[in-house]
Amino acid sequence: MANWKMHKTVEEGRAFGRHLIRRLSEAGDQPPTLVVCPTLPGLWPLAREFAGTPVGVGAQNLDLGREGALTGAVSGYLLREAGAQFVIIGHSERRQVFHETDDVIGQKVAQAYQSRLRPILCVGESAQEYRQGSTLSVVERQLQALAPYVDDKMMQTLIVAYEPVWAIGTGEVPEPGQANHVAAAIREVLDRMAPGSGENVPVLYGGSVNAKNIRPFMGEKDIDGALVGGASLQVEEFLAMARNSC
Ligand code: PEP
């Protein structure tokens, strides 16, 4: 899954979409599930480029509520209408820069379901929490924040991205086995919250992943895919990652 953050103009996004579709049809083989999360203005134009193709489109955030006097806000319903099928919720940049709390993130996950969007919930520890050895308690707290808002049935179709904050955009990555250990712990927490979800929910790894280092992560038992920032901005790198994931 590609998270473009605040990168690419609308036209650059469309050109990426056309290029990606051309390259996928040339290759002819079945790629793994690919989803691109562009900027908000780029969502509708990119969704049109990908219409009728296997590539999905997601938003990077949603605001609570359906409609109302909320200047600058964009609801899940509007994102859905603009072509989004997925939405990233609780990215560490939303938590840190925009001060989103665990509780707000829990509400946003519920709002995503109400808007018929599939949420990709990001969890992960900061560098300090990592040094303190509190990774597992942090991700458990971040997952448990959903409990008041999200029912068992919704939990079965969640997607979780384990993204250690210290690995995002830094070039540092955990050992794949260490990331897998956290992914397995995430499945255990999910299963306690909603029986069966530990197996049903795809768990992605995210943080400085690229075409060169992706393979051992994807070889781990409890990691199903990747959430990719910087390395998703170039079509060929993105495709190489998809190829190296299989
Ligand atoms: C991200 O922001 O979700 C991310 C994984 O970024 P990067 O791949 O650039 O570390």
Side-chain angles (χ1 to χ4, degrees):
M1 301 217 174
N3 174 14
W4 284 355
K5 311 191 185 192
M6 202 166 70
H7 295 291
K8 289 197 187 294
T9 64
V10 172
E11 277 313 312
E12 286 166 350
R14 292 184 63 211
F16 178 109
R18 285 194 293 268
H19 186 172
L20 180 64
I21 295 306
R22 192 170 60 248
R23 293 285 282 107
L24 287 172
S25 59
E26 280 165 13
D29 49 0
Q30 187 63 35
T33 305
L34 297 177
V35 176
V36 180
C37 303
T39 62
L40 199 46
L43 188 60
W44 168 243
L46 192 63
R48 282 198 295 179
E49 295 296 341
F50 288 151
T53 79
V55 185
V57 176
Q60 299 174 17
N61 177 41
L62 59 68
D63 289 300
L64 292 172
R66 187 181 182 117
E67 59 178 10
L70 292 163
T71 303
V74 181
S75 71
Y77 301 91
L78 294 171
L79 297 171
R80 174 85 205 173
E81 190 189 10
Q85 299 141 287
F86 299 84
V87 58
I88 298 171
I89 296 181
H91 190 280
S92 65
E93 288 148 19
R94 298 295 315 176
R95 293 177 191 264
Q96 290 177 343
V97 184
F98 298 94
H99 310 294
E100 289 188 8
T101 62
D102 287 337
D103 189 66
V104 164
I105 289 162
Q107 293 181 53
K108 286 190 171 190
V109 170
Q111 184 78 73
Y113 285 115
Q114 278 157 27
S115 318
R116 292 192 296 118
L117 295 169
R118 189 165 180 193
I120 304 160
L121 172 72
C122 298
V123 296
E125 80 286 2
S126 67
Q128 196 190 2
E129 290 162 338
Y130 175 68
R131 282 193 299 272
Q132 288 167 346
S134 43
T135 299
L136 299 187
S137 59
V138 169
V139 299
E140 167 140 28
R141 190 202 71 223
Q142 292 171 331
L143 291 166
Q144 290 287 356
L146 272 54
Y149 306 106
V150 177
D151 66 26
D152 274 29
K153 189 160 166 255
M154 292 170 176
M155 287 293 289
Q156 306 298 330
T157 56
L158 185 67
I159 299 171
V160 175
Y162 168 53
E163 299 209 301
V165 181
W166 51 270
I168 295 179
T170 60
E172 278 184 64
V173 289
E175 288 297 321
Q178 186 188 337
N180 189 67
H181 176 65
V182 183
I186 287 170
R187 293 189 189 284
E188 278 175 30
V189 176
L190 290 170
D191 224 39
R192 265 186 272 126
M193 293 173 69
S197 62
E199 199 177 325
N200 292 336
V201 169
V203 178
L204 317 180
Y205 167 73
S208 294
V209 83
N210 57 44
K212 289 203 181 83
N213 66 14
I214 195 168
R215 201 185 282 275
F217 286 96
M218 296 307 111
E220 292 289 342
K221 175 175 165 291
D222 287 297
I223 299 177
D224 298 309
L227 180 56
V228 186
S232 70
L233 294 169
Q234 305 299 328
V235 173
E236 296 303 328
E237 175 87 8
F238 190 49
L239 278 170
M241 278 189 286
R243 264 197 309 272
N244 293 345
S245 302
C246 300

